[in-house]
Amino acid sequence: MSDIVEHGDTVTVHYRLSSQNGNEFESTFGGEPASFTLGQGELAESLERWLIGLPVGENHVFLLEAGQAFGQCDPALVQRIPLADFPAGMRVEAHTLMEFSLPNGTRLPGTVLEKTASEAVVDFNHPLCDCPIQFEVEVLAIRRPEIRPPGSR
């Protein structure tokens, strides 16, 4: 068995997401590393694919165009929602990130772009859509599943 990342592995990593000009959005370097299982939705699929094949102990920096990272913004994901549809007592304010619950129980983040007396305009696109990013990652450890998921090596 090799010490490279494969689909279905649980990996422990340090990672950093930043704009390509160096503005940092999120980082575990200098703090606790993150652990997640590839293919379980714990990390964006668009970032997971860059981990496949990486060995333990090496630091890699990927310069990703928007389409390789969080995609292009979709205007259809900006929606007008009547304030009456929000739970009673929930504060709805412009320029805030909120979590919404779908009827099937799925949770979805949305950014309130504006609020009027009767509705809120909410953007359900990823906050980093349309942004080229720098994804830096160091794989610290790999734990293999006992049974490999379908489609893995």
Side-chain angles (χ1 to χ4, degrees), residues 9-24:
D9 289 344
T10 298
V11 295
T12 300
V13 300
H14 274 301
Y15 72 94
R16 177 178 294 118
L17 288 174
S18 59
S19 65
Q20 289 190 1
N21 67 3
N23 292 329
E24 190 173 286

Side-chain angles (χ1 to χ4, degrees), residues 67-103:
Q68 297 173 302
F70 297 102
Q72 304 298 321
C73 288
D74 180 353
L77 294 178
V78 178
Q79 300 182 7
R80 295 184 174 280
I81 301 174
L83 293 178
D85 289 354
F86 287 85
M90 177 182 272
R91 289 187 61 166
V92 179
E93 297 181 26
H95 312 294
T96 58
L97 182 65
M98 300 180 73
E99 187 173 76
F100 295 82
S101 295
L102 301 178

Side-chain angles (χ1 to χ4, degrees), residues 3-78:
D3 284 342
I4 63 168
V5 177
E6 297 177 10
H7 182 77
D9 289 344
T10 298
V11 295
T12 300
V13 300
H14 274 301
Y15 72 94
R16 177 178 294 118
L17 288 174
S18 59
S19 65
Q20 289 190 1
N21 67 3
N23 292 329
E24 190 173 286
F25 303 122
E26 186 173 335
S27 178
T28 65
F29 287 97
E32 291 293 317
S35 293
F36 48 85
T37 302
L38 289 154
Q40 298 297 307
E42 299 168 27
L43 179 69
E45 184 179 338
S46 57
L47 297 180
E48 279 188 5
R49 70 173 167 237
W50 299 100
L51 299 178
I52 303 297
L54 294 183
V56 170
E58 289 185 20
N59 189 293
H60 293 269
V61 177
F62 300 97
L63 300 177
L64 308 177
E65 293 302 319
Q68 297 173 302
F70 297 102
Q72 304 298 321
C73 288
D74 180 353
L77 294 178
V78 178

